[in-house]
């Protein structure tokens, strides 16, 4: 799929904030953080998942937000939005969260974001919505330029940052029921628009996710 790169606002899209429910994915095991609940680790004095929530509200204007979590539910509920646990057992990964979100989503579109990227683009929802409409796609997925360990920059998909048509629930239920767990393998079955966040003014750190406590400290030290 062609990379859609134009900067955009809601007036450029047919989709409006009221058409979208955002889902914050906080249901993982946090295995690379020693099993602690990643979304509740603090960054600049607030839990990571709360940063994500505030960022979605501030930038995208998305009002309907829910959280996918599998433990510490009361802590997440204290953020003031609905919290749902995965229907699939055994920490089945992000797609289990996607399925939970699609099951409970009352709007035509579901926006998925992880709980550990406190700098996510403020115009994420707008740009994904514009691309989904422009390409008449079922899914819009973010992409960003990353510099690998070899020093070479390349565009990488950011598969947990997706805008999905809510009608995809049956397809995802089938895929996960058959044992599928990889986001890319499922999205490949559907028309997907790829949106590259590499425009002037885009933050190169926007999709930096803190997988370890050291990475979280690194992110915090860069922000100060």
């Amino acid at each position: 799929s062609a990379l859609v790169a134009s900067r955009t606002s809601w007036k450029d899209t047919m989709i409006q904030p009221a058409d979208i429910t955002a889902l914050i994915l906080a249901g993982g095991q946090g295995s690379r953080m020693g099993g602690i609940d990643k979304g509740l680790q603090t960054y600049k004095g607030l839990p990571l998942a709360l940063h994500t929530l505030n960022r979605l509200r501030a930038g995208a204007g998305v009002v309907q937000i829910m959280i996918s979590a599998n433990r510490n539910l009361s802590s997440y509920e204290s953020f003031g939005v609905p919290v749902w646990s995965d229907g699939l057992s055994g920490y089945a990964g992000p797609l289990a969260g996607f399925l939970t979100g699609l099951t409970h989503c009352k709007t035509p579109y579901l926006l998925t974001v992880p709980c550990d990227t406190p700098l996510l683009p403020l115009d994420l929802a707008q740009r994904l919505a514009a691309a989904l409409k422009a390409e008449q796609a079922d899914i819009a997925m973010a992409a960003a330029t990353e510099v690998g360990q070899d020093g070479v920059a390349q565009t990488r998909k950011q598969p947990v940052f997706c805008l999905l048509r809510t009608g995809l629930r049956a397809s995802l239920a089938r895929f996960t029921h058959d044992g599928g767990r990889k986001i890319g393998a499922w999205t490949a079955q559907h028309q997907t628009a790829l949106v590259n966040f590499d425009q002037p003014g885009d933050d190169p750190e926007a999709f930096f996710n803190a997988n370890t406590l050291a990475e979280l400290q690194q992110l915090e030290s860069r922000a100060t």
Side-chain angles (χ1 to χ4, degrees):
S1 165
L3 288 171
V4 177
S6 60
R7 301 187 70 76
T8 189
S9 66
W10 286 118
K11 67 179 186 300
D12 301 322
T13 80
M14 304 285 289
I15 301 170
Q16 295 303 307
D19 299 326
I20 297 172
T21 300
L23 175 73
I24 299 170
L25 299 158
Q29 283 178 288
S31 49
R32 282 180 282 185
M33 277 196 182
I36 55 178
D37 197 333
K38 196 191 289 188
L40 298 176
Q41 301 313 300
T42 56
Y43 169 76
K44 294 187 174 178
L46 289 177
L48 276 171
L50 190 54
H51 275 284
T52 303
L53 184 102
N54 291 340
R55 201 138 175 104
L56 286 167
R57 282 187 173 147
V62 174
V63 177
Q64 300 176 87
I65 300 174
M66 50 190 180
I67 296 173
S68 157
N70 292 310
R71 52 186 168 156
N72 301 314
L73 303 186
S74 58
S75 296
Y76 286 111
E77 284 163 354
S78 73
F79 300 166
V81 298
V83 178
W84 304 102
S85 294
D86 292 341
L88 293 171
S89 60
Y91 293 99
L95 280 185
F98 278 36
L99 183 57
T100 300
L102 290 170
T103 300
H104 295 285
C105 187
K106 303 281 197 295
T107 55
Y109 303 94
L110 179 74
L111 174 69
T112 62
V113 298
C115 65
D116 60 349
T117 45
L119 306 177
L120 65 87
L122 288 170
D123 58 355
L124 176 74
Q126 295 95 311
R127 284 161 75 176
L128 293 181
L132 189 137
K133 275 295 182 188
E135 297 195 26
Q136 297 186 313
D138 296 312
I139 300 166
M141 182 187 292
T145 303
E146 287 182 7
V147 178
Q149 292 176 331
D150 55 3
V152 176
Q154 60 185 106
T155 300
R156 292 186 190 277
K157 294 176 182 177
Q158 305 290 331
V160 283
F161 291 88
C162 278
L163 184 67
L164 313 165
R165 292 186 188 272
T166 309
L168 294 173
R169 183 188 174 279
S171 160
L172 183 55
R174 275 194 306 274
F175 182 81
T176 52
H177 181 267
D178 292 339
R181 295 292 179 264
K182 292 203 175 333
I183 299 174
W186 175 63
T187 57
Q189 299 178 2
H190 300 280
Q191 169 90 13
T192 302
L194 209 53
V195 185
N196 204 358
F197 284 78
D198 65 347
Q199 302 305 293
D202 283 345
D203 181 358
E205 302 275 304
F207 295 98
F208 183 93
N209 66 310
N211 279 316
T212 65
L213 288 172
E215 285 177 352
L216 185 55
Q217 287 159 354
Q218 183 188 343
L219 190 64
E220 185 135 27
S221 64
R222 272 187 249 180
T224 50

